[in-house]
Amino acid sequence: MAMVIEADVAVIGAGMAGVSVAYELAGEHTVVLLEQESQPAYHTTGRSAAMFLESYGGPEVRALTAASRPLFDSAGSLLSPRPLLWVAPEEQMDRLATLAAAQPELRRLDPAEAAAHCSALRTDWVAGALLEENASEIDVLGLHQFYLGGARRRGTTVLVGAAVRAGRHDGSRWLLDTAAGPVAAAAVVNAAGAWADVVAVALGVPPLGMTPLRRTAAVARTGRVDRAWPLVADVGETFYFRPEGAGVLVSPADETPSEPCDARPDDLDVALAVERVNEATDLGLRSVRTAWAGLRTFAPDRKPVTGPDPAAPGLWWLAGQGGYGIQIGPALGRMAAAAVTGGAVPEALSVARFR
Ligand SMILES: Cc1cc2nc3c(=O)[nH]c(=O)nc-3n(C[C@H](O)[C@H](O)[C@H](O)COP(=O)(O)OP(=O)(O)OC[C@H]3O[C@@H](n4cnc5c(N)ncnc54)[C@H](O)[C@@H]3O)c2cc1C
């Protein structure tokens, strides 16, 4: 019979959510981190646009993003400046006004000022803009490695090729059947990204109605990119672009419902991204060097799900990070770890709801 691996906490999933909570728990507690793939960060965490945007998302997400900034700073030089330019064509000016009213710290720019920040923008397309000066680009794999390496050094057992197939609570602890053998733990953290509901069902717990939404990104070739350009996003969320090496990263900001899977880009979505960026700019993009897609997973109310499962003892959710799981990862990981161990949730982090 295979030897049972025992730990205080078993964390399911080694994306940004799983590695951050494992890191925060390790040291004080024995932790086993279970990843189904042979490589951590293979799914959504390895496929993001790598941005830290304090004006993006609802109030809870924005508070978690702000609370993450000092944790990014303490993890090393993982943020580099990349301002965010929200732009609006005439028909999106109402939305721009709503954003400006909700976030007065954003700087209003007229079309000429917007074009001064990104010379590719067409001044006959942009009707107005808002600038978030302190936005940043994130070294995503650096942050993931900071947590994964740190968790290992603090004694965490990391098992890859360890898909959790089933589990049950025997009255005192969870017994998990994994592809790498049996695991027993007092607490389980469900950080399975797009598979969070699938894992819940495997553990005999009702799913929460999480929806993975596919988002596409591509790097387009262009002869003219200024690496100092901001991330440019339309306020109606139909496209964004930013410099990426010698090209531009483009996305149609798509949200196509998907089963949990190894997401692949659809050619039509890539073409749509190029078309929309070409409409707003004079870049004249014609071809892409590489394209990818990932699943941004949302709860029905689009807020992160962080807290104890109401139906199962010792089961914790850390899911539904949607399009913000990297920028809110540090605060969310710390908050989840405090909750799992019954510690006080730091006040700055108590904004996100538990359920
Ligand atoms: C195109 C795109 C752009 C984005 N841009 C940004 C951005 O600029 N800034 C930002 O903050 N966020 C962004 N995001 C969102 C961000 O990438 C996600 O919110 C974040 O990566 C989610 O992390 P996670 O750990 O929850 O999920 P994942 O990284 O998917 O990790 C979940 C892990 O669980 C594992 N797993 C699943 N089931 C099991 C099982 N049964 N047993 C064991 N392991 C299992 C999976 O293999 C996976 O590795 C973007 C996403 C996309 C797709």
Side-chain angles (χ1 to χ4, degrees):
M1 215 174 91
M3 206 174 71
V4 179
I5 294 174
E6 306 204 11
D8 296 331
V9 187
V11 177
I12 303 176
M16 196 58 79
V19 296
S20 60
V21 73
Y23 170 84
E24 297 289 353
L25 288 165
E28 300 283 308
H29 306 273
T30 55
V31 179
V32 57
L33 180 58
L34 303 165
E35 170 53 50
Q36 67 183 356
E37 304 293 348
S38 57
Q39 189 194 331
Y42 176 77
H43 287 291
T44 314
T45 294
R47 307 177 190 205
S48 84
M51 289 299 301
F52 180 93
L53 311 170
E54 288 188 70
S55 63
Y56 189 37
E60 293 83 1
V61 165
R62 294 209 308 277
L64 284 166
T65 305
S68 289
R69 190 185 276 280
L71 304 179
F72 271 104
D73 292 341
S74 65
S77 328
L78 298 171
L79 296 180
S80 47
R82 172 80 62 205
L84 162 61
L85 189 64
W86 288 111
V87 292
E90 199 54 55
E91 65 273 18
Q92 290 180 13
M93 285 304 280
D94 286 358
R95 292 184 72 144
L96 195 79
T98 307
L99 182 60
Q103 300 193 47
E105 60 282 7
L106 297 173
R107 187 145 68 88
R108 283 170 185 266
L109 302 181
D110 65 25
E113 290 168 326
H117 285 271
C118 177
S119 57
L121 272 173
R122 283 177 36 201
T123 46
D124 59 346
W125 181 90
V126 186
L130 290 168
L131 183 69
E132 179 188 330
E133 264 154 320
N134 291 328
S136 303
E137 216 174 292
I138 304 169
D139 174 355
V140 177
L141 293 182
L143 180 66
H144 187 269
Q145 192 49 45
F146 169 82
Y147 284 130
L148 183 62
R152 277 203 175 100
R153 278 191 296 280
R154 292 176 174 185
T156 295
T157 302
V158 180
L159 299 179
V160 293
V164 175
R165 300 182 289 221
R168 65 183 176 85
H169 197 261
D170 74 355
S172 65
R173 58 185 190 164
W174 283 95
L175 305 171
L176 304 177
D177 166 29
T178 90
V183 170
V188 168
V189 179
N190 179 357
W195 287 265
D197 268 354
V198 175
V199 163
V201 171
L203 301 184
V205 166
L208 294 182
M210 312 297 291
T211 308
L213 299 176
R214 190 180 68 229
R215 175 152 295 186
T216 309
V219 177
R221 296 185 183 89
T222 168
R224 50 169 301 236
V225 61
D226 179 341
R227 291 183 192 209
W229 282 345
L231 174 82
V232 178
D234 74 325
V235 74
E237 297 195 35
T238 67
F239 74 87
Y240 60 78
F241 68 93
R242 67 158 169 81
E244 172 72 28
V248 280
L249 185 155
V250 298
S251 172
D254 46 332
E255 293 200 333
T256 309
S258 167
E259 292 299 308
C261 66
D262 189 355
R264 300 286 168 202
D266 183 319
D267 287 349
L268 284 176
D269 290 323
V270 175
L272 208 54
V274 167
E275 186 184 310
R276 289 175 180 167
V277 172
N278 281 342
E279 204 190 329
T281 68
D282 60 11
L283 280 170
L285 305 175
R286 301 230 306 262
S287 64
V288 302
R289 182 162 59 71
T290 179
W292 66 94
L295 301 177
R296 300 156 78 249
T297 299
F298 289 89
D301 63 4
R302 293 179 73 100
K303 295 179 187 174
V305 180
T306 50
D309 186 277
L315 175 63
W316 303 80
W317 288 75
L318 183 54
Q321 292 85 344
Y324 326 99
I326 313 298
Q327 63 180 42
I328 66 176
L332 210 57
R334 183 162 291 190
M335 194 174 93
V340 169
T341 57
V345 174
E347 199 174 334
L349 308 185
S350 61
V351 287
R353 150 210 61 149
F354 284 73
R355 69 175 181 202

